[in-house]
Amino acid sequence: LAKLYALQKDQVNARKYAEKCVELNPDMQEFREFLIDICGSEKDYTALNEHLEYFIKTGAYDESYYFRLARSYRQMGSFKDAIDILDKLQDKTGYKKEIGKAKALVYQQQRNKRRLIKELDLLEKSFPDDTDVLIQKATMLQSQGEHEKAMVTFQKLLLLDPDNRAASQNIIR
């Protein structure tokens, strides 16, 4: 019934029946996934987090659950929880660019300049040839008024990608 209501775009009843399915059988992953989508679209972060945490706690290994949970925490303003879940993922997988970028986004939204710079420095050190990382770092430095450091980073970027328009335009300014 939950899926039929969803097809009819009746989110209220779709959610109600999906929740009933999960209540009767907590291991019913299909309906938990369904509820993750519904709760996410409704911005019901508390319920969304509950279902994402269930998958993580039961050992269902899918990095997307960690990233979705971190994003949900960030959207709620629970920055420490967002970083904690990204740290758990990092403990499982090692440091990855996607994790570093997600942490940088949390620090940026939190307006934690010191941690943001530290994370972007780690990203640059870990992925020195990644132009996306260099653009993110240079743009952040520029927005923080650190124009000399931004220019150095834009110049590194141009060495890797001489046709990079963003770097060229910022160096001309």
Side-chain angles (χ1 to χ4, degrees):
L1 284 175
K3 289 186 177 187
L4 289 173
Y5 280 117
L7 288 172
Q8 295 175 349
K9 302 199 185 311
D10 182 348
Q11 292 283 85
V12 173
N13 282 315
R15 181 175 177 170
K16 182 173 92 174
Y17 282 101
E19 286 172 342
K20 194 63 156 169
C21 288
V22 170
E23 182 183 314
L24 294 171
N25 183 358
D27 296 328
M28 193 168 272
Q29 291 187 4
E30 178 183 358
F31 284 100
R32 280 195 184 273
E33 286 281 354
F34 187 68
L35 284 167
I36 285 172
D37 293 336
I38 290 173
C39 294
S41 70
E42 293 177 350
K43 297 185 177 169
D44 181 352
Y45 299 120
T46 303
L48 172 64
N49 294 355
E50 178 186 320
H51 295 295
L52 290 167
E53 288 169 354
Y54 171 85
F55 280 118
I56 291 169
K57 285 177 186 171
T58 57
Y61 180 73
D62 184 340
E63 289 182 15
S64 70
Y65 296 135
Y66 289 83
F67 285 114
R68 290 169 81 180
L69 184 56
R71 182 176 55 242
S72 178
Y73 281 136
R74 184 175 49 80
Q75 289 170 324
M76 293 174 65
S78 299
F79 302 119
K80 183 187 178 319
D81 292 329
I83 293 298
D84 287 348
I85 201 68
L86 291 168
D87 284 342
K88 284 181 185 177
L89 177 59
Q90 184 174 325
D91 290 344
K92 279 182 157 308
T93 66
Y95 190 71
K96 292 183 174 184
K97 179 173 61 169
E98 296 78 16
I99 296 171
K101 289 177 105 174
K103 285 181 177 182
L105 191 57
V106 172
Y107 296 135
Q108 183 176 7
Q109 188 173 349
Q110 189 181 27
R111 292 189 168 92
N112 187 334
K113 180 182 172 184
R114 184 183 61 78
R115 298 287 304 267
L116 175 59
I117 290 171
K118 186 177 175 183
E119 193 65 43
L120 290 173
D121 285 344
L122 179 58
L123 274 165
E124 182 182 6
K125 181 181 174 189
S126 301
F127 308 98
D129 296 336
D130 191 301
T131 56
D132 291 338
V133 168
L134 291 173
I135 288 171
Q136 185 177 7
K137 182 177 180 184
T139 304
M140 184 281 306
L141 288 168
Q142 195 171 47
S143 73
Q144 299 291 328
E146 300 199 33
H147 301 291
E148 286 183 33
K149 290 180 180 178
M151 287 305 119
V152 169
T153 306
F154 280 126
Q155 288 170 347
K156 285 182 191 176
L157 179 57
L158 283 174
L159 289 174
L160 293 170
D161 181 7
D163 297 326
N164 189 289
R165 290 184 64 188
S168 298
Q169 290 172 345
N170 281 291
I171 286 181
I172 291 172
R173 288 184 194 173

